């Protein structure tokens, strides 16, 4: 049973995509939507109650065409606009990712580093996470965080419950605690 409205929408999209053989393409479309609606101005446009549904529907047609998305994604976005549920889009994206990962036996690993890591390093990290989890596939999402000083962290598992911390920041914090310097905190 899906507990939230966002989960219900995400489940429906995943089921439709799976049944019509477009799960991979739908996942790619969901990732495009995540980036697109991640833009604050776009999100505010769609959640603004003073903008007409017709203008929002026209904009959806433009989005779907320009991002080369599948027709059922247009229908889905229009459904959200018409039912005044478009504010759930970010949650729907997250929920869809969970369904997609379960359907494809994929483990999501979020790799946080100071600088962008090379693709061969990300591939090595993916292989390591695959060994740890036994998942058939591993998807890597990257995040840049200058406060780590150097190194990286890997978060995986259900809801990111497992963490491998290879950052210099963590090593410095551990060193400070071992030396019993409680007043030392690293500037972020």
């Amino acid at each position: 049973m899906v507990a939230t409205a966002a989960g219900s929408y995400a489940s429906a999209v995943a089921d439709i995509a799976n049944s019509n053989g477009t799960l991979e393409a739908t996942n790619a479309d969901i990732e495009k939507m995540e980036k697109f609606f991640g833009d604050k101005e776009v999100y505010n446009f769609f959640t603004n109650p003073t903008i007409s549904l017709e203008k929002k529907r026209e904009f959806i047609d433009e989005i779907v065409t320009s991002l080369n998305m599948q027709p059922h994604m247009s229908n889905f976005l229009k459904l959200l606009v018409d039912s005044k549920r478009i504010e759930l889009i970010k949650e729907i994206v997250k929920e869809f990712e969970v369904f997609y990962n379960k359907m494809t036996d994929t483990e999501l690993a979020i790799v946080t580093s100071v600088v962008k890591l090379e693709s061969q390093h990300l591939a090595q990290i993916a292989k390591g996470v695959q060994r740890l989890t036994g998942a058939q596939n591993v998807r890597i999402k990257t995040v840049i965080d200058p406060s780590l000083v150097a190194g990286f962290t890997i978060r995986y598992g259900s809801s990111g419950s497992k963490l491998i911390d290879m950052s210099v920041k963590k090593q410095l914090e551990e060193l400070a605690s071992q030396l019993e310097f409680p007043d030392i905190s690293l500037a972020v």
Side-chain angles (χ1 to χ4, degrees), residues 38-55:
D39 181 309
K40 192 173 184 176
E41 287 181 33
V42 170
Y43 183 78
N44 289 342
F45 172 84
F46 279 102
T47 57
N48 185 337
T50 64
I51 297 173
S52 74
L53 292 178
E54 194 54 43
K55 282 186 180 178

Side-chain angles (χ1 to χ4, degrees), residues 3 32 35 46 80 103 113 116 127 179:
K32 292 174 189 175
K35 287 184 178 119
F46 279 102
L80 291 177
M103 294 170 136
S113 60
K116 185 177 179 200
K127 284 180 185 172
L179 296 174

